[in-house]
Amino acid sequence: MLLKLIPEFSNPSVCMKDPQRVQDIMESMAKAGSNTVQVISDFDMTLTRFAYNGKRCPTCHNILDNSDLVSEECKEQLKELLDTYYPIEIDCSRPVDEKLPLMVEWWTKAHALLVQQRIKKDHLALVVRESDAMLRDGYQLFFDHLHEHSIPLLIFSAGIGDILEEVIRQAKVFHPNINVFSNYMDFDDCGVLRAFKGELIHIYNKREGALLNSGHFEELRARPNVLLMGDSLGDLNMADGVQDMENILKIGFLNDKVEERKQSYLDSYDIVLVKDETLVVPNGVLLYLTGNK
């Protein structure tokens, strides 16, 4: 029955622990109508590709780290931080409480190093254009369809908001239905980076970020049905600010270390996409929810 609803679910990358539950959620959301739906998504390695032709694609931080705006010495220091903290981030055996202070440490050190580089705001667009950052295949349909149906898209990212927005703008899909919660750069009057604004958003405090931005969710009170998309277990809390939620369908991209992490993803996400570099499945879900199937 589920395959009849969404033919894209026949894709070999699709794994589900409880297909009946997925069907029930989708039918309930479709019945309520697309004007009750909102989409909450991570950015790096969720809306963007994890790899292309066997080569890792850059995250928002990587785009800057790999650019000419950052000195070789700084690049080495950022690489050392990555090598130290990334294995901790993806280690399923460590409790989140233990990881939390370490993630804050990583992001704080990385941002301090970037501030030292005196990066200029008007150089960011070129850095993005010259990078290997890529939105996932099917992004045009995803962004345009949400816009056409006036479905709000909240992008919740531990990356750099200025870079993230530029990636979407250059793909010509930065529509007015998009809101971004992320780490934004603070530039001085000469357009030079002097700090990062506001509260630090990292991979494991998205719940706090969601609750801090409760005003956004208050405006969307009439949209109690959520499609959530992420690539880490930390992304599962992004919808915690949604008020009076009725249904949530969680799609997780499992990009890396598949065998070690597959079970924990299946236990947490309704649909798990294994090494799938496309938005074909989310698009299939959206087409169904908007009555286009």
Side-chain angles (χ1 to χ4, degrees):
M1 177 61 182
L2 201 50
L3 281 179
K4 283 185 182 174
L5 291 181
I6 317 281
E8 290 84 357
F9 283 174
S10 63
N11 188 314
S13 71
V14 177
C15 299
M16 283 177 261
K17 185 176 179 179
D18 188 349
Q20 185 58 52
R21 174 182 149 79
V22 171
Q23 182 173 323
D24 292 346
I25 293 171
M26 288 186 56
E27 286 178 343
S28 179
M29 288 172 75
K31 192 175 174 186
S34 61
N35 61 336
T36 69
V37 174
Q38 58 175 301
V39 178
I40 302 176
S41 181
D42 173 51
F43 186 71
D44 287 320
M45 299 181 284
T46 297
L47 293 176
T48 61
R49 293 182 68 119
F50 178 77
Y52 181 67
N53 287 342
K55 185 184 170 203
R56 281 290 300 269
C57 291
T59 64
C60 292
H61 277 99
N62 296 153
I63 289 171
L64 265 190
D65 300 353
N66 300 338
S67 75
D68 293 339
L69 303 184
V70 171
S71 70
E72 287 306 315
E73 183 187 357
C74 181
K75 283 178 184 174
E76 282 174 28
Q77 291 171 308
L78 289 166
K79 174 78 166 60
E80 281 173 22
L81 291 177
L82 178 72
D83 292 344
T84 302
Y85 292 101
Y86 182 65
I88 297 169
E89 178 194 306
I90 64 169
D91 184 353
C92 291
S93 67
R94 283 199 187 204
V96 170
D97 289 355
E98 191 182 303
K99 295 182 186 185
L100 233 157
L102 298 169
M103 295 301 103
V104 172
E105 207 174 271
W106 179 12
W107 257 244
T108 304
K109 286 177 180 176
H111 286 176
L113 285 170
L114 291 174
V115 168
Q116 288 172 15
Q117 299 301 295
R118 298 186 57 76
I119 291 164
K120 291 188 175 173
K121 184 177 186 177
D122 57 9
H123 290 170
L124 296 182
L126 181 62
V127 162
V128 170
R129 198 168 293 118
E130 290 179 343
S131 77
D132 294 324
M134 299 171 74
L135 293 170
R136 288 183 185 269
D137 291 359
Y139 75 85
Q140 194 100 36
L141 173 61
F142 178 82
F143 284 94
D144 290 352
H145 196 73
L146 289 174
H147 179 229
E148 284 158 19
H149 289 266
S150 302
I151 297 173
L153 168 60
L154 169 61
I155 298 174
F156 218 135
S157 175
I160 300 172
D162 312 76
I163 300 285
L164 180 165
E165 287 194 14
E166 191 60 37
V167 171
I168 302 173
R169 269 198 204 92
Q170 291 186 15
K172 298 185 169 51
V173 288
F174 198 88
H175 301 309
N177 64 314
I178 296 174
N179 257 304
V180 179
F181 295 167
S182 188
N183 299 301
Y184 278 88
M185 296 172 150
D186 185 15
F187 297 96
D188 65 19
D189 294 340
C190 299
V192 175
L193 177 65
R194 63 180 175 190
F196 279 80
K197 296 176 185 174
E199 292 289 321
L200 175 73
I201 295 177
H202 58 80
I203 196 162
Y204 288 112
N205 75 340
K206 288 187 175 181
R207 179 176 188 274
E208 287 75 8
L211 299 176
L212 277 172
N213 289 284
S214 58
H216 167 86
F217 294 110
E218 177 68 38
E219 287 172 31
L220 296 179
R221 206 167 196 148
R223 293 180 177 270
N225 293 304
V226 177
L227 173 62
L228 181 142
M229 296 163 49
D231 75 302
S232 81
L233 299 181
D235 291 332
L236 292 158
N237 300 121
M238 294 187 297
D240 284 8
V242 176
Q243 296 168 21
D244 308 320
M245 183 149 41
E246 287 175 14
N247 295 289
I248 180 165
L249 183 70
K250 296 177 260 196
I251 300 178
F253 288 88
L254 180 49
N255 299 307
D256 195 17
K257 304 225 176 330
V258 172
E259 290 317 308
E260 301 100 300
R261 302 199 287 169
K262 190 173 181 181
Q263 193 55 53
S264 60
Y265 274 57
L266 283 168
D267 290 340
S268 307
Y269 283 101
D270 301 302
I271 301 167
V272 177
L273 303 176
V274 178
K275 291 189 174 288
D276 184 339
E277 295 291 354
T278 77
L279 290 170
V280 167
V281 171
N283 285 344
V285 171
L286 285 175
L287 290 169
Y288 172 74
L289 294 179
T290 53
N292 287 73
K293 279 193 176 286

